[in-house]
Amino acid sequence: MQKPDHVVLYRKYRPQRFSDVVGQDHIVDVLKNALRLERVSHSYIFSGTRGTGKTTLARLLAKAFNCEKRGKDGEPCNACDTCREFSAGKAFDLVEIDAASNRGIDDIRELREAVRFTPMRARRKVYIIDEVHMLTKEAFNALLKTLEEPPAHAMFIMATTELDRVPDTILSRSQSFEFRRIAEPVIRKELERIAKSEKYKLEGEGITMLAFLADGSMRDGETMLGQVMDAYPEGADKDALTKLFGLPKIGQIHELLDAALCREPVRILDALGQIRKDGIDPKLLSRMLVHEARELFVSAYNPKDLERLQKELSETHAAFFTSHHALPKKEIEQLLVKLLEAHNIGFRGTFPDLPLELALLSLSEQEPQKTLEKPAFLK
């Protein structure tokens, strides 16, 4: 018997109901109300960074509007023929267009001609235009005519990662929703749920690391989890993830931060030298340094946050925050500001590791407000 084709996690666990969508409650609530009140617009623009659910929510809205047995709360039934066709991506009345490869005026003219025809089965024929900002000026002008006088049987849902490139004339004729980057705790919880559903063993710190690397993108988090499952079928720990994604070890991050706080330039250079030998991406190193410095800064102000870190992290990891908790807040603030500045400069520059090195060394030249005893795990 032939095994079913493998389905990647972000497709396998793509939300089929509004209640499954995470991190975008401000949009979901409005759309469900519009469905409940039968006030769905003919044109929407979904904007935001990658992997935040723009296309997913566009497909959900299209399915829910055309559902034959939609619930009073606006949720699709997922049982009728229309729902099944929309869920499978086989609906004749759902047309998805990639504006990156269909961006010219001729493509939009073809769309305008097709829009005139009524739906085959659904109430409305739905056009989802992905990366709409890629359309040419002439194509936008052609699309504008359709949006000005839309057929009653058509709906347009446009998605973009660059809202500023969409003309005001298009924006003024569409309801616009901005998708937020998904918070790390939300991504972490969802990845935990998926790992449990897949019966895959991944320790808590490993999931926390994936949520950090996802950088606000649920899809990126799911993709990386799938990569981990392929690389380590029997389960993985944080050391396996460090190796797989080429991350610096958390001990190296803490060694750099401690050396900067203790004003020890030789330790800084030695630690950076070893990190270079390990071939660590300087931009990723910079992100991790900023992340850990921020956690230290917040926990210095809020004892409850320190307690949270002690519960969520391993004993060795949490020991760094505990041992530096009494450090003057101004010291940590100076470190965080310098790291953040170096991070922003490094992303734009030709030598991404140099701003970070200069920031750490310049801090080491200042007089510390309090002498720190090196934590036992760094001795």
Side-chain angles (χ1 to χ4, degrees):
M1 185 177 178
Q2 187 178 1
K3 291 184 178 180
D5 292 337
H6 173 68
V7 180
V8 294
L9 293 181
Y10 73 83
R11 288 183 58 197
K12 185 176 180 179
Y13 291 95
R14 175 171 280 154
Q16 296 300 323
R17 297 172 58 84
F18 288 112
S19 57
D20 296 334
V21 177
V22 297
Q24 310 297 345
D25 293 347
H26 63 298
I27 299 174
V28 169
D29 290 344
V30 174
L31 295 180
K32 287 176 69 175
N33 278 337
L35 287 163
R36 184 174 57 85
L37 299 171
E38 294 289 345
R39 297 180 60 177
V40 175
S41 176
H42 71 282
S43 179
Y44 291 92
I45 292 183
F46 293 167
S47 63
T49 57
R50 73 190 189 285
T52 50
K54 299 184 296 297
T55 305
T56 293
L57 208 46
R59 291 172 179 168
L60 262 175
L61 176 59
K63 178 171 67 174
F65 181 82
N66 289 298
C67 175
E68 300 165 17
K69 302 176 183 178
R70 187 174 67 236
K72 293 181 179 179
D73 58 354
E75 291 282 12
C77 72
N78 284 323
C80 66
D81 291 341
T82 301
C83 278
R84 286 199 293 266
E85 289 175 1
F86 272 76
S87 295
K90 298 178 180 179
F92 288 108
D93 297 316
L94 177 63
V95 181
E96 297 194 35
I97 301 169
D98 177 19
S101 53
N102 299 277
R103 60 193 303 262
I105 188 171
D106 290 337
D107 298 303
I108 300 302
R109 281 174 177 165
E110 288 180 12
L111 183 149
R112 287 179 57 186
E113 289 298 316
V115 163
R116 295 188 302 163
F117 297 100
T118 57
M120 295 185 67
R121 291 186 54 170
R123 294 172 61 193
R124 277 190 186 176
K125 196 165 189 174
V126 182
Y127 293 86
I128 297 176
I129 308 177
D130 201 14
E131 300 299 337
V132 71
H133 62 271
M134 296 293 288
L135 292 179
T136 63
K137 181 180 178 180
E138 292 76 16
F140 268 126
N141 289 336
L143 178 61
L144 177 62
K145 185 64 177 177
T146 302
L147 295 182
E148 284 178 334
E149 301 174 5
H153 59 259
M155 179 193 297
F156 294 88
I157 308 176
M158 295 165 278
T160 177
T161 54
E162 300 182 39
L163 186 63
D164 58 314
R165 291 177 60 183
V166 179
D168 291 340
T169 50
I170 299 292
L171 292 174
S172 66
R173 289 162 175 82
S174 309
Q175 288 193 18
S176 182
F177 292 94
E178 186 169 356
F179 283 60
R180 299 167 182 165
R181 294 173 72 256
I182 302 175
E184 273 187 40
V186 176
I187 295 178
R188 188 181 193 279
K189 185 177 179 181
E190 188 66 10
L191 293 180
E192 283 179 340
R193 183 185 72 83
I194 293 174
K196 184 178 180 180
S197 177
E198 294 289 316
K199 297 181 174 56
Y200 185 73
K201 185 178 180 182
L202 180 61
E203 66 177 30
E205 278 205 77
I207 292 179
T208 299
M209 191 177 292
L210 286 179
F212 165 74
L213 291 173
D215 195 22
S217 169
M218 190 69 245
R219 184 179 62 233
D220 286 5
E222 291 168 334
T223 299
M224 286 186 288
L225 176 58
Q227 188 175 346
V228 173
M229 292 170 65
D230 291 342
Y232 305 98
E234 304 303 319
D237 55 19
K238 63 180 177 64
D239 292 332
L241 268 67
T242 298
K243 181 180 179 181
L244 179 63
F245 295 111
L247 306 174
K249 296 178 180 178
I250 199 65
Q252 292 176 307
I253 297 294
H254 292 166
E255 170 72 9
L256 270 176
L257 293 176
D258 184 72
L261 290 167
C262 291
R263 309 300 197 258
E264 298 182 28
V266 175
R267 276 177 68 198
I268 292 173
L269 291 172
D270 287 345
L272 286 174
Q274 183 58 52
I275 287 171
R276 285 196 186 95
K277 288 181 182 178
D278 293 341
I280 303 301
D281 181 357
K283 293 179 180 178
L284 188 53
L285 169 66
S286 180
R287 265 194 68 203
M288 291 186 69
L289 282 167
V290 170
H291 181 271
E292 291 293 294
R294 180 195 173 278
E295 292 281 31
L296 180 61
F297 183 62
V298 173
S299 63
Y301 275 95
N302 187 358
K304 289 184 179 179
D305 200 74
L306 181 61
E307 293 175 7
R308 174 186 63 80
L309 293 173
Q310 291 169 338
K311 291 178 182 178
E312 290 182 0
L313 305 176
S314 67
E315 184 177 347
T316 304
H317 193 161
F320 174 78
F321 301 104
T322 304
S323 61
H324 292 76
H325 183 64
L327 191 70
K329 299 179 183 64
K330 194 65 178 177
E331 295 277 305
I332 307 172
E333 181 183 352
Q334 287 177 353
L335 173 63
L336 181 57
V337 168
K338 285 190 173 294
L339 287 175
L340 195 56
E341 289 174 348
H343 179 73
N344 292 333
I345 295 172
F347 267 106
R348 299 192 304 268
T350 309
F351 305 98
D353 55 341
L354 191 56
L356 185 62
E357 186 176 59
L358 291 173
L360 292 169
L361 289 174
S362 67
L363 187 68
S364 69
E365 295 176 353
Q366 301 177 17
E367 286 295 324
Q369 296 182 20
K370 183 175 181 178
T371 303
L372 281 176
E373 180 182 351
K374 185 185 291 187
F377 68 93
L378 287 176
K379 291 180 180 177

